[in-house]
Amino acid sequence: MEGKGRHRRPRDMTEAYFCGLMHSVGYRQSDLDKPQIAIVNSWTDVNPGHKPLAELAKNVREGIWAAGGTPAEFSVPAPCDGMAQGAGMHYILPQRDLIAGSVEAMVKAHSFDGLVMLASCDKIIPGMLLAASRLDLPTIFLAAGAMAPYAEGGNVYVTPDLKESIGEFNKGVITEETFQKRKTSICFSQGTCSMMGTANTMGTFLEATGISPWGSATMLCHDARKFCQARDVGERIVALVNGEKKFSDYFNKLTLENGIKYVSAIGGSTNAVLHITAIYRAMGIPLSLEDFNKIQASVPVICKLKPSSKWNISDYHNSGGVPAVISTIRDSLHLDVETVMGGTLRNFLDANEVAVDRNIIHAVTSPLHESGCFSILSGNLAPKGAVVKRSGVEPQMMRHKGPAVVFDSEEDVREYLLKKKVAPGSVLVVRYEGPKGGPGMREMSIPAAMLVGMGLHTSVAMVTDGRFSGATRGPCVGHVAPEAYSGGPIALVEDGDLIEIDLDRNTISLLVPDDVLEKRRKAGITPPERHVNGILKAYRDGVQGAEDGALWF
């Protein structure tokens, strides 16, 4: 077979078998002589962030054909974190690694030459990034684009406002009629939720690292320019294959450092810490949480979006989006890295005068926060680390000390918030929700949002070995490691124990004498009984700790 692909099949009996089977699904011999481009599509009609990808795939196909390649499409799962709250959340983080494995296996089995990854949302982009890093083939990412925001009574609402409405309704701040209206209206269109949660943190991370077109994540999903962008991507991937470009030519240690700095500058999701750490591991590049902290703390926070401010993703896009942030922090970045759409980052910035709305994207001389958006905490409660989105915490909660109220599941803390009086000053400790303990490292998204809706985020902290949503705000400390199931100190906490959180010193301390803790440990730690089988059992048996990105395989 001819063609410039690096993985063309040899002229032997396996070629005949391959060609015969491909002819049966409509490919001609002349098509099979061209570079074979996989369109890895995470389309589904049960996730608004992915439904637009069915149409975008058609335009990517057109671009591939036009450039002399042959497109071949296959699909992967695309779970929605928002829809999977509660019991379904056990299955969300494991799917990141399942997606990575399914892409890797399919591409290796069929010997594709290049990849276009159509992806949005929290676990799908990281899963595909893991696969792309392992495969190291020419690869371009394209996101679906943003959901349109919802306007009501002069205010603009997006998805996290719906979660906070649960707390507002529970407290009697809004009527049932208003609550019902928001339930049916806030998710206003298809596209990725219009907030800086994990989905848009990772979607715009793709742009910042140069592996997707500018505006891919922030442009409205129904913008006509998305379809032109998809054709451009289809054409460009053929050029990358013909030029024998590897994914690592564009996505490497330098671009990852740029990506971490970008995520910090925009007040991104704490889940980015988990996913980027996993990607480093997959690429064989050493990265500790301390390393991550040094990189992210080297830039100020210059932009905060919903739910940490009034600005949504459309506001961000119209204010200059990712290019505006990159331009603003350019002195902190590696500028001579290549981008998949052509040229270096320096070439792009020098050739384009990026208009910036400084009401939304601040100058580095007038930042919203100094020294990054995260606090990577350590101390006797989290010897291997914990993560909090510092930029989403109110100033009066940067230091907090209070008595623990201990729960062994998300359901328990949710029930408590609905039916009990929460004492101001307390620390809600939710354990056995880590990667192994859950299993699946569920996010405490709704409990955290309920705290905000109930006005408790200025007096009550939450600590967990699970995760939080990328859209979480308030004093919510997640990723506590080691987790309770693995015998971490969080398993030893009892009601009434004092816990001190200091985001200025990056510490989290259980104020209980060591001898008392040792006595509790010797008395035995008994995890709650959660009999699991199938995927969840395999996940529990194989997954690493949060400090290592919760990699399964």
Side-chain angles (χ1 to χ4, degrees):
M1 301 179 75
E2 304 299 330
K4 295 184 179 180
R6 293 178 300 128
H7 300 280
R8 308 311 314 143
R9 292 175 179 272
R11 288 186 179 275
D12 59 17
M13 294 303 292
T14 63
E15 180 200 5
Y17 208 37
F18 170 77
C19 292
L21 291 167
M22 289 294 279
H23 276 279
S24 74
V25 290
Y27 290 90
R28 303 164 299 172
Q29 185 60 52
S30 59
D31 301 328
L32 303 180
D33 290 339
K34 300 173 183 177
Q36 306 291 297
I37 310 297
I39 301 173
V40 187
N41 197 347
S42 55
W43 170 86
T44 171
D45 63 4
V46 292
N47 184 337
H50 294 257
K51 192 163 185 178
L53 296 175
E55 287 299 313
L56 283 183
K58 296 176 184 177
N59 298 101
V60 174
R61 280 178 172 272
E62 292 171 0
I64 293 170
W65 283 123
T70 297
E73 185 175 346
F74 67 89
S75 300
V76 297
C80 174
D81 287 48
M83 294 182 190
Q85 295 298 317
M89 185 57 68
H90 289 293
Y91 293 88
I92 290 296
L93 186 58
Q95 287 197 65
R96 179 195 71 180
D97 297 62
L98 287 173
I99 290 165
S102 65
V103 174
E104 180 184 352
M106 183 68 175
V107 170
K108 287 285 192 180
H110 280 240
S111 300
F112 290 108
D113 298 309
L115 312 171
V116 174
M117 301 283 203
L118 297 184
S120 300
C121 295
D122 301 35
K123 305 305 173 293
I124 299 83
I125 290 173
M128 290 187 176
L129 277 169
L130 286 170
S133 299
R134 290 168 177 154
L135 291 164
D136 204 19
L137 294 171
T139 305
I140 303 176
F141 282 75
L142 182 66
M147 181 185 288
Y150 167 67
E152 174 191 280
N155 296 314
V156 174
Y157 297 93
V158 296
T159 317
D161 297 309
L162 180 56
K163 289 188 288 188
E164 293 181 10
S165 293
I166 298 171
E168 291 175 336
F169 176 63
N170 186 53
K171 196 175 179 182
V173 174
I174 59 174
T175 65
E176 183 172 359
E177 180 183 6
T178 298
F179 186 43
Q180 293 298 326
K181 186 176 181 183
R182 289 184 183 177
K183 281 202 293 186
T184 57
S185 303
I186 279 182
C187 296
F188 195 64
S189 75
Q190 298 174 27
T192 308
C193 298
S194 191
M195 60 177 176
M196 192 47 74
T198 307
N200 279 311
T201 297
M202 297 309 297
T204 56
F205 171 85
L206 299 174
E207 297 179 41
T209 52
I211 56 174
S212 74
W214 300 112
S216 172
T218 59
M219 191 184 298
L220 285 173
C221 70
H222 53 262
D223 192 319
R225 289 173 295 177
K226 286 295 299 180
F227 304 107
C228 299
Q229 191 178 71
R231 287 193 185 90
D232 290 342
V233 165
E235 292 179 352
R236 181 63 181 164
I237 189 62
V238 178
L240 295 187
V241 170
N242 287 334
E244 300 191 356
K245 304 293 287 188
K246 298 180 296 184
F247 187 58
S248 57
D249 291 334
Y250 303 97
F251 194 72
N252 47 51
K253 188 174 186 291
L254 297 182
T255 55
L256 279 165
E257 288 181 4
N258 284 352
I260 292 172
K261 291 174 183 179
Y262 164 79
V263 167
S264 184
I266 51 102
S269 165
T270 52
N271 286 314
V273 181
L274 193 75
H275 298 319
I276 293 171
T277 300
I279 291 163
Y280 266 80
R281 295 285 187 278
M283 297 177 72
I285 304 173
L287 180 79
S288 66
L289 285 177
E290 292 78 11
D291 296 332
F292 188 101
N293 194 42
K294 288 177 184 177
I295 297 169
Q296 71 90 26
S298 67
V299 294
V301 178
I302 58 172
C303 178
K304 294 203 310 190
L305 304 169
K306 281 274 192 176
S308 296
S309 78
K310 66 180 181 179
W311 310 113
N312 58 59
I313 292 298
S314 288
D315 296 324
Y316 180 49
H317 182 77
N318 294 331
S319 71
V322 180
V325 171
I326 293 297
S327 176
T328 301
I329 64 170
R330 65 176 292 165
D331 290 344
S332 298
L333 301 178
H334 304 288
L335 297 179
D336 293 318
V337 293
E338 292 187 80
T339 66
V340 291
M341 299 307 287
T344 65
L345 188 56
R346 187 187 303 278
N347 295 152
F348 172 79
L349 293 174
D350 289 348
N352 295 275
E353 186 174 344
V354 181
V356 185
D357 182 343
R358 290 299 182 201
N359 292 311
I360 298 176
I361 300 171
H362 290 222
V364 291
T365 53
S366 57
L368 294 164
H369 299 277
E370 299 281 358
S371 305
C373 81
F374 303 115
S375 282
I376 306 297
L377 308 180
S378 62
N380 71 334
L381 187 56
K384 292 187 177 181
V387 181
V388 63
K389 187 173 178 176
R390 177 190 177 92
S391 62
V393 178
E394 297 292 332
Q396 63 267 41
M397 293 298 287
M398 289 292 175
R399 292 189 64 188
H400 179 74
K401 181 167 70 173
V405 185
V406 182
F407 308 91
D408 285 347
S409 73
E410 180 196 4
E411 286 79 8
D412 289 347
V413 72
R414 228 194 266 190
E415 186 80 2
Y416 183 84
L417 289 170
L418 286 169
K419 296 185 177 179
K420 304 287 185 179
K421 183 174 177 62
V422 183
S426 56
V427 179
L428 309 182
V429 178
V430 190
R431 61 192 180 188
Y432 296 107
E433 290 289 5
K436 289 181 179 293
M441 202 179 182
R442 290 194 292 179
E443 67 175 33
M444 307 295 112
S445 171
I446 289 180
M450 289 171 68
L451 277 181
V452 175
M454 296 165 73
L456 294 170
H457 62 296
T458 57
S459 62
V460 174
M462 190 177 292
V463 175
T464 182
D465 52 8
R467 302 180 293 114
F468 288 102
S469 164
T472 294
R473 61 189 175 110
C476 297
V477 180
H479 307 198
V480 170
E483 61 175 294
Y485 188 88
S486 298
I490 191 171
L492 305 176
V493 182
E494 295 183 358
D495 287 340
D497 288 348
L498 285 180
I499 293 175
E500 184 174 44
I501 303 165
D502 190 332
L503 303 190
D504 293 322
R505 294 170 54 208
N506 289 339
T507 59
I508 181 166
S509 304
L510 177 59
L511 304 181
V512 175
D514 290 344
D515 61 327
V516 174
L517 294 178
E518 185 59 27
K519 185 177 179 181
R520 292 179 188 176
R521 186 178 295 282
K522 287 180 178 178
I525 298 171
T526 307
E529 289 189 13
R530 291 176 190 161
H531 298 295
V532 295
N533 53 31
I535 287 173
L536 291 185
K537 184 180 186 305
Y539 189 76
R540 172 175 280 175
D541 291 345
V543 70
Q544 300 175 32
E547 72 277 10
D548 291 319
L551 264 181
W552 182 4
F553 52 78

